[in-house]
């Protein structure tokens, strides 16, 4: 099993959230059954990741299918550049699936900007039916979950789901324009510039050589009282804990049944908090757990606690992780992207940050049948 080497980032001593007197005790986990089981096993037949220059220099740089050297991509604005990246990722994923745009039944996508302008404007040019979703940084798993459900039920044969983010556009909307030159606190994260897309197709003879989505777990909104726009890792860790605990107690899988458990973009601080929260629940996360925000940048790139944004986990999943699933190095993975569902105004008005985490369980086409008994019984 191969896992990218994690970047070593120091945790700010004054911001440790490991003591029970700092975070309230874990709230009760919903006891209702939340696991969606896809017995027709929709397949991920195409994928594409497009990233910016900074991301291409990180530990996962060699896995991304396309790396841009200009964050504006020749456009007049950063917003237009993000639309172009999004379009490139979608069309690239469709080509990778050996399909045409006309073969796509619907596109499910989202981004970080107001009214999901990036995905909506890109959908206008792509010209397929569009379902816009907003899960913040959890958008990719939300899209995969919805795509798998629609394909598994037989409504559609080919769905493309996509997500994007851009450092410059996200900073302008949620924090400060780049020209302002605001200094970041040490617990901040760096919004990933990139876009990624996956094509989810029905299970058939010609698609059985591709990874399959076998389960999904929709997230529950959690809020532990964090109201700092920069402290995304601390805000989202409880949501990841809730969904991960639900997955490990309701799916029939244990921690050791996964070659990889990956969260979206908690960063170094957030993933450390998640380990502590899971340990309080009686589950110790081992070396098969990583966080996309903690591995997309190297420590020398000075991105504070790591990466964030819709494209953070989306680009890692559709490059590094899918590569390992395709060649059989990973047999089964759990992908839990996390999202902070605040707005700029809500935080300025003193509101805390509600967060969510959706999960999908994906298996390699080389996964042994005997490993599937747990959820087929």
């Amino acid at each position: 099993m191969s896992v990218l080497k994690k970047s070593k980032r120091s945790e700010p001593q004054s911001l440790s959230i490991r003591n029970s007197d700092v975070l309230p005790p874990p709230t009760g986990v919903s006891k209702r059954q939340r696991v969606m089981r896809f017995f027709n096993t929709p397949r991920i037949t195409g994928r594409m990741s497009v990233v910016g220059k900074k991301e291409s220099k990180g530990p996962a740089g060699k896995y991304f299918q396309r790396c841009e050297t200009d964050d504006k991509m020749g456009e007049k604005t950063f917003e237009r550049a993000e639309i172009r990246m999004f379009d490139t990722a979608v069309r690239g994923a469709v080509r990778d699936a050996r399909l045409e745009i006309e073969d796509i039944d619907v596109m499910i996508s989202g981004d970080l900007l107001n009214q999901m302008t990036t995905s909506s404007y890109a959908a206008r040019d792509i010209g397929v039916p569009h379902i816009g979703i907003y899960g913040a940084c959890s958008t990719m798993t939300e899209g995969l979950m919805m795509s798998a459900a629609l394909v598994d039920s037989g409504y559609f044969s080919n769905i493309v789901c996509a997500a994007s983010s851009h450092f410059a556009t996200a900073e302008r909307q949620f924090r400060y324009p780049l020209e302002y030159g605001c200094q970041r606190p040490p617990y901040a994260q760096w919004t990933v510039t990139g876009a990624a897309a996956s094509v989810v197709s029905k299970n058939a003879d010609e698609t059985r050589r591709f990874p399959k989505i076998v389960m999904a777990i929709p997230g529950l909104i959690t809020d532990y009282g964090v109201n700092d726009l920069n402290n995304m890792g601390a805000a989202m860790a409880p949501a990841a804990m809730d969904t991960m605990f639900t997955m490990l107690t309701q799916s029939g899988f244990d921690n050791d049944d996964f070659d990889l458990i990956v969260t979206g973009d908690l960063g170094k601080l957030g993933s450390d908090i998640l380990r502590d929260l899971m340990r309080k629940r009686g589950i110790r996360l081992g070396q098969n757990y990583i966080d996309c925000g903690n591995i997309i940048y190297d420590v020398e790139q000075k991105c504070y606690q790591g990466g964030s944004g819709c494209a953070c986990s989306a680009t890692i999943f559709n490059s590094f992780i899918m590569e390992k699933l395709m060649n059989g190095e990973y047999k089964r993975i759990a992908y839990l992207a996390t999202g902070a569902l605040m707005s700029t105004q809500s935080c300025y008005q003193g509101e805390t940050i509600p967060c969510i985490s959706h999960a999908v369980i994906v298996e390699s086409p080389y996964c042994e049948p005997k490993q599937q008994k747990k959820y087929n019984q």
Side-chain angles (χ1 to χ4, degrees), residues 114-362:
N114 289 332
Q115 288 78 49
M116 298 176 294
T117 51
T118 299
S119 57
S120 297
Y121 278 58
R124 175 189 64 181
D125 298 331
I126 293 170
V128 298
H130 179 232
I131 299 175
I133 56 175
Y134 185 82
C137 305
S138 70
T139 296
M140 195 68 209
T141 47
E142 186 176 356
L144 287 169
M145 175 176 63
M146 293 180 63
S147 299
L150 290 171
V151 170
D152 184 74
S153 60
Y155 286 107
F156 300 112
S157 297
N158 298 297
I159 297 177
V160 61
C161 57
S164 71
S165 59
H166 196 296
F167 174 77
T169 63
E171 288 302 303
R172 179 184 298 167
Q173 176 165 307
F174 289 100
R175 297 178 184 90
Y176 303 98
L178 299 183
E179 297 82 0
Y180 184 70
C182 181
Q183 186 170 347
R184 291 164 166 270
Y187 50 82
Q189 293 171 242
W190 194 276
T191 303
V192 170
T193 296
S198 302
V199 175
V200 179
S201 303
K202 67 178 181 181
N203 188 11
D205 290 339
E206 61 272 19
T207 61
R208 285 176 185 166
R209 60 188 178 92
F210 295 101
K212 53 190 173 183
I213 304 174
V214 296
M215 290 185 190
I217 299 94
L220 183 71
I221 295 286
T222 64
D223 188 342
Y224 271 39
V226 177
N227 60 4
D228 189 338
L229 275 169
N230 290 292
N231 204 353
M232 293 293 95
M236 295 186 294
M241 178 273 293
D242 174 83
T243 302
M244 187 179 294
F245 185 84
T246 301
M247 177 185 73
L248 295 176
T249 55
Q250 293 187 9
S251 68
F253 290 127
D254 297 323
N255 191 3
D256 295 335
D257 291 322
F258 297 98
D259 295 307
L260 186 71
I261 298 176
V262 57
T263 49
D265 49 1
L266 300 179
K268 175 64 171 63
L269 178 59
S271 55
D272 285 347
I273 294 172
L274 175 61
R275 286 183 181 274
D276 288 342
L277 291 175
M278 292 300 291
R279 187 161 54 244
K280 290 179 180 180
R281 288 284 179 185
I283 299 173
R284 290 185 175 271
L285 298 179
Q287 293 184 349
N288 64 337
Y289 165 66
I290 63 173
D291 180 76
C292 294
N294 202 22
I295 63 175
I296 195 166
Y297 297 122
D298 192 81
V299 66
E300 282 79 17
Q301 293 179 282
K302 299 181 179 180
C303 296
Y304 306 90
Q305 295 299 310
S308 66
C310 291
C312 181
S313 68
T315 55
I316 291 288
F317 174 77
N318 283 289
S319 56
F320 168 69
I321 296 174
M322 278 294 293
E323 182 75 19
K324 301 299 182 183
L325 285 168
M326 287 291 293
N327 63 27
E329 191 168 345
Y330 291 157
K331 297 296 191 300
R332 181 185 297 115
I333 67 102
Y335 170 31
L336 300 87
T338 52
L341 305 177
M342 80 292 186
S343 72
T344 309
Q345 290 304 316
S346 65
C347 286
Y348 288 160
Q349 293 168 1
E351 291 284 353
T352 54
I353 302 174
C355 298
I356 198 163
S357 175
H358 306 292
V360 290
I361 297 176
V362 185

Side-chain angles (χ1 to χ4, degrees), residues 10-61:
S10 60
E11 179 179 325
Q13 295 298 319
S14 61
L15 297 167
S16 175
I17 309 186
R18 296 189 175 192
N19 299 323
S20 58
D21 60 340
V22 177
L23 273 180
T27 55
V29 176
S30 172
K31 295 182 180 179
R32 65 167 59 90
Q33 285 294 320
R34 285 159 56 188
V35 176
M36 303 165 63
R37 304 171 190 269
F38 304 123
F39 295 108
N40 294 325
T41 59
R43 306 283 172 153
I44 303 176
T45 57
R47 36 90 181 211
M48 179 73 169
S49 290
V50 183
V51 298
K53 184 177 181 180
K54 193 179 190 73
E55 291 72 21
S56 67
K57 294 181 178 180

